[in-house]
Amino acid sequence: MAQSQENLIKIIILGSSNVGKTCILHRYFENEYSENSLSTIGIDFKTKYFKFDDTKIKVNYTDTAGQEKFKAIALNYLKGTDGAVLVFDVSNKETFSVIDSWYEDIKQNNKMDIGLILVGNKADMEDREVSESQGEELAKKLECKYFETSAKTGQNVQAALDEIAKITYLKWKVTKDSRHSIRISSADSVGKVTISEKKSCCGSSS
């Protein structure tokens, strides 16, 4: 059965170069890890299907290059994105310090209330420079959930990327239902619809 375009959700993975964005996606989709994974050049896509509330949803995970020379490409894709994953490396404090900048990029390039999670990757590393409590504190500031992952061991990878799909779907559904309600109200005003159906609205996930 062909997938309706309106049931497509787009999630973008953002963060500095070498924080493990590509490795996280490879672990999630292939359940594999490679020490020699190459940095993404520009943009790459992975697709997974979910079923929420009996609705089939196609989710595109967009992997972005972290290098500054490719940042304009990532920002361009932000404009139509429904959700975002902000990733830093717990063993590299510099990648953590620029998360605020990536968050500002999201706000400036996407005016919607999109789904968001914060991910501290490479949690298997012993030489940490960012504590779990620091990650949780930043997530609280950004008003999102925090996950510590390891693409190498698989720790929390599925949980994090499944959760951002769920969070994003709930926000997408609210927006979709709101637009449907507006269309009905507009039609009512010109006498084209005589009976309107009240739509239920999902709240945010716990």
Side-chain angles (χ1 to χ4, degrees):
M1 181 176 179
Q3 183 70 19
S4 171
Q5 181 67 22
E6 67 177 359
N7 288 337
L8 170 66
I9 287 176
K10 292 174 283 186
I11 295 172
I12 194 167
I13 319 294
L14 298 169
S16 301
S17 183
N18 297 320
V19 297
K21 300 185 297 296
T22 300
C23 290
I24 286 173
L25 283 179
H26 193 65
R27 169 63 73 178
Y28 185 58
F29 283 91
E30 309 296 337
N31 196 27
E32 294 177 352
Y33 173 78
S34 173
E35 293 279 1
N36 301 314
S37 178
L38 298 176
S39 295
T40 299
I41 304 298
I43 296 290
D44 193 16
F45 302 94
K46 297 285 187 181
T47 299
K48 186 171 183 177
Y49 289 88
F50 292 84
K51 193 171 185 179
F52 299 117
D53 300 329
D54 294 323
T55 302
K56 190 177 182 182
I57 302 294
K58 178 181 179 181
V59 179
N60 277 357
Y61 292 88
T62 303
D63 185 16
T64 62
Q67 299 98 318
E68 188 65 30
K69 62 182 178 180
F70 295 119
K71 191 170 184 179
I73 299 175
L75 296 184
N76 186 57
Y77 274 85
L78 261 174
K79 296 174 183 177
T81 290
D82 304 292
V85 181
L86 292 174
V87 185
F88 68 92
D89 174 357
V90 299
S91 67
N92 185 335
K93 194 170 184 178
E94 184 178 347
T95 66
F96 177 72
S97 66
V98 297
I99 289 294
D100 279 332
S101 175
W102 283 108
Y103 181 70
E104 287 302 316
D105 287 334
I106 291 174
K107 292 201 300 182
Q108 290 176 17
N109 291 275
N110 193 316
K111 304 305 180 184
M112 297 189 301
D113 179 23
I114 69 172
L116 179 70
I117 62 170
L118 176 65
V119 169
N121 192 39
K122 303 188 184 180
D124 57 289
M125 301 288 285
E126 294 183 0
D127 54 339
R128 293 183 63 127
E129 294 184 359
V130 182
S131 68
E132 186 172 0
S133 61
Q134 286 176 301
E136 290 173 345
E137 184 178 347
L138 179 56
K140 185 176 181 180
K141 173 186 171 183
L142 302 181
E143 299 182 326
C144 68
K145 290 188 176 182
Y146 176 59
F147 292 84
E148 292 214 330
T149 66
S150 168
K152 186 173 184 178
T153 67
Q155 174 188 336
N156 269 345
V157 170
Q158 181 169 343
L161 295 192
D162 281 354
E163 183 66 11
I164 185 57
K166 179 182 176 182
I167 291 170
T168 301
Y169 162 74
L170 291 172
K171 289 181 177 290
W172 171 86
K173 186 176 186 297
V174 169
T175 301
K176 180 173 178 284
D177 286 352
S178 175
R179 288 172 179 169
H180 181 74
S181 177
I182 289 171
R183 286 197 300 269
I184 289 177
S185 297
S186 177
D188 277 340
S189 68
V190 294
K192 292 183 179 179
V193 173
T194 57
I195 299 175
S196 61
E197 178 183 356
K198 187 176 181 181
K199 287 284 181 177
S200 62
C201 182
C202 288
S204 59
S205 63
S206 59

